[in-house]
Amino acid sequence: MFVGVRVVRGPDWKWGDQDGGRGSVGTVVPAESAESAKGVWVRWDAGRKANYRAGGEKGTYDLRIYDNAQQGVKHPNVNCDCCPEEGILGLRWKCLECHDFDLCHSCYNEGKHDLGHRFTRIETNSVPG
Ligand SMILES: [Zn+2]
Ligand SMILES: [Zn+2]
C-alpha cells in the first residue's frame, strides 16, 4: 500500500460503517509514528482516520485498492489545479476543454471541476521535464 492510494473496504472488513458506509473511499496516509506503522492508516473521505490490517501473517485485508491503475503512479511535475498538493499522486485527469487544467483523482472524484467537461485519464507516470 502506498501513501496516496485510494482504497475501499476489503474482504476482511469488520469495522461497520467506520469508513462512512459501503462504497466509501479513503486515502492511505502516512503513519504518525514508527510505533503505529503496522498496518495501513486510512483517512476516509467521510472524515474518520483509522489503522487497518493489510496482509501480515494471516493475510487479512481490511482494504482493497480502489483503482489499481493508480498504484505507485506519480506525476511529480504536474500539480492539481484544485488542491495545494505538489505533484499528482495516482490517476491524473486532464481536462480536454480547459487550457492546461489537471486534476488529481480525489478532486476529480469530488467533482471539484465541471464533470460535464471531457477528461483524459492518465494512468502512467508522467515523464519528468
Ligand atoms: Zn487535487
Ligand atoms: Zn474543464
Side-chain angles (χ1 to χ4, degrees):
M1 293 275 182
F2 296 87
V3 168
V5 166
R6 302 282 284 166
V7 293
V8 292
R9 58 171 73 176
D12 301 310
W13 181 264
K14 58 166 190 175
W15 313 107
D17 282 343
Q18 199 175 71
D19 56 353
R22 179 170 287 279
S24 297
V25 182
T27 305
V28 176
V29 294
E32 280 165 357
S33 66
E35 175 93 358
S36 64
K38 284 183 204 152
V40 175
W41 285 90
V42 173
R43 193 180 57 231
W44 297 103
D45 289 357
R48 231 182 291 185
K49 184 173 149 189
N51 183 252
Y52 298 99
R53 302 163 297 169
E57 282 168 30
K58 295 191 180 115
T60 307
Y61 289 92
D62 287 331
L63 303 167
R64 190 160 60 79
I65 306 248
Y66 175 62
D67 192 332
N68 278 322
Q70 64 183 324
Q71 191 169 0
V73 172
K74 289 182 189 149
H75 307 278
N77 300 312
V78 183
N79 292 332
C80 172
D81 289 296
C82 288
C83 68
E85 297 285 313
E86 297 244 334
I88 292 178
L89 273 180
L91 279 182
R92 167 185 169 198
W93 296 85
K94 186 169 184 55
C95 183
L96 295 175
E97 295 178 31
C98 298
H99 177 69
D100 195 20
F101 202 98
D102 291 277
L103 283 177
C104 66
H105 190 55
S106 50
C107 288
Y108 177 83
N109 259 349
E110 288 161 24
K112 290 199 181 165
H113 188 59
D114 186 347
L115 296 186
H117 289 184
R118 288 172 304 130
F119 290 86
T120 312
R121 177 179 141 134
I122 301 171
E123 43 187 80
T124 51
N125 285 323
S126 293
V127 182

